Amino acid sequence: MADRITSGFKPHTPARDVVAGHDLTGKVAIVTGAATGIGIETARALAEAGAEVIIAVRKPDLAEAAVAEINKTAKGPKASWSMLDLSSFKSIRAFAERWGDRPLNILINNAAVMACPLAYTEDGLEMQIGTNHFGHFLLSVLLAPSLVAGAKQSGKTSRLVSLSSIGHRRAGVNFEDPHYKTRAYDKWDSYGQAKTANALFAVGFNTRFKDQGVTANAVMPGGIMTPLQRHLPIEEQIALGWIDEHGKVRDGFKTTEEGASTSVWAAVGDELDGVGGLYLEDLAQAEPWTKEKPWAGVMPHALDPEAAERLWALSVETTGAGA
C-alpha cells in the first residue's frame, strides 16, 4: 500500500490533539450514542474545536449529564441532545423529521450493541445488525440531503463516519438469513456481520454521495473498555484476554479519548478531504488483515463493492428508504 493515507499521529493520540488546529466554527455535527464511552469523547473534541454538536441518544438522564460535561469545554454553541432509538424505525424517522432540512456537516454513526443475547428490534430485525446497521442506514439516508446542503453551504465536503470493528473478521453479511430466523444464533458472528455491514455501508454511501460533496469512511476505534461490554461477564472478558484475573486491562487497549481519535480524524483530517470508501484504524488507512496481526487490519469482505451494493439493496428493502 504505497499510497496508504496516514495522519502523522500515533495510535494512542488523544482526540483533542487530533482536532487541535482545526476551527470548526459554523460546522454542525451529530454523534449517535454519545452519552458515554468514545461517543462522548468524540463529541467533546468536536465541541472544543467550535462545532455545534448534537448527541443522538435514547436515555434522557445520561444525555443531560453528557451535554453538561461536553459544555464545560465547548468553544462554540452549546451542545444539545435529541432522542434517538436506533432499534426503532419510528424513533429514527421522528428524529429526522425534527431535524428537517437543516444543513449538516458531520454525521458520526457511533452507537452500537455488542454480543447481546438473541433479541429483535420492534421492526423484527436481529438486534445487532438491526441497530448497528439498519438503524444507522435509515438515519443516514434520511439525513443525506442535510449533509449535501452542509457541503454546499460551507463549500467543503461533508463527512459521514461509520464505526466498524476488528470484529468484522468474524463474519461477512449472510444475505440469505441476516436475522437468524433459520440458522443458529452466535453472538460474535452476529456482531461480526453487523460490523462488516458498517464498513460496507460506508463504501455504498460514498459511492452514491461523493459527487454531491459527501464522503463516507469506516472506522475501527481500537480496543477500549466502555459500556459496550455490558453484555459480557467478567469471566468471558478474562477468557478473551481483554483483562486479567485481577481486572487489569490488557496492554494495547486505549482510553476512551484515544479510542475517539480515529473517528475525529475521519471527521476533520485534511488528508481525507474528498476521500471516502476506506476503512481507517489507528489514525491511518488500515492495511490488509494478516494471520500475523489478527487484531488489526481489514478483510476484503468488508470493502467488497459487490457486497456493498447487495447490502444497499437489502437495506432499502428493509427500511423503506432509498437514495
Side-chain angles (χ1 to χ4, degrees), residues 116-170:
C116 59
L118 179 61
Y120 289 90
T121 69
E122 70 176 40
D123 302 285
L125 314 179
E126 186 274 317
M127 188 61 74
Q128 294 196 70
I129 198 169
T131 301
N132 298 355
H133 168 65
F134 289 109
H136 276 128
F137 175 90
L138 178 58
L139 177 72
S140 304
V141 169
L142 294 176
L143 292 177
S146 292
L147 286 164
V148 172
K152 283 181 180 162
Q153 185 187 69
S154 69
K156 292 201 163 181
T157 308
S158 292
R159 301 191 189 185
L160 181 147
V161 181
S162 178
L163 268 76
S164 183
S165 162
I166 185 58
H168 80 269
R169 73 192 176 109
R170 292 292 297 255

Side-chain angles (χ1 to χ4, degrees), residues 87-109:
S87 68
S88 161
F89 289 167
K90 183 181 170 187
S91 173
I92 295 163
R93 291 184 185 281
F95 178 96
E97 213 166 279
R98 290 194 304 276
W99 189 264
D101 58 3
R102 191 178 174 207
L104 177 64
N105 307 101
I106 297 166
L107 173 59
I108 300 184
N109 291 334

Side-chain angles (χ1 to χ4, degrees), residues 248-289:
K248 184 176 180 293
V249 178
R250 177 169 70 82
D251 286 347
F253 265 56
K254 298 180 179 183
T255 65
T256 48
E257 203 191 345
E258 292 165 355
S261 61
T262 304
S263 294
V264 170
W265 177 56
V268 306
D270 296 332
E271 301 86 355
L272 295 166
D273 199 35
V275 178
L278 305 181
Y279 178 101
L280 313 171
E281 71 180 355
D282 286 342
L283 291 149
Q285 181 181 357
E287 298 194 61
W289 182 88

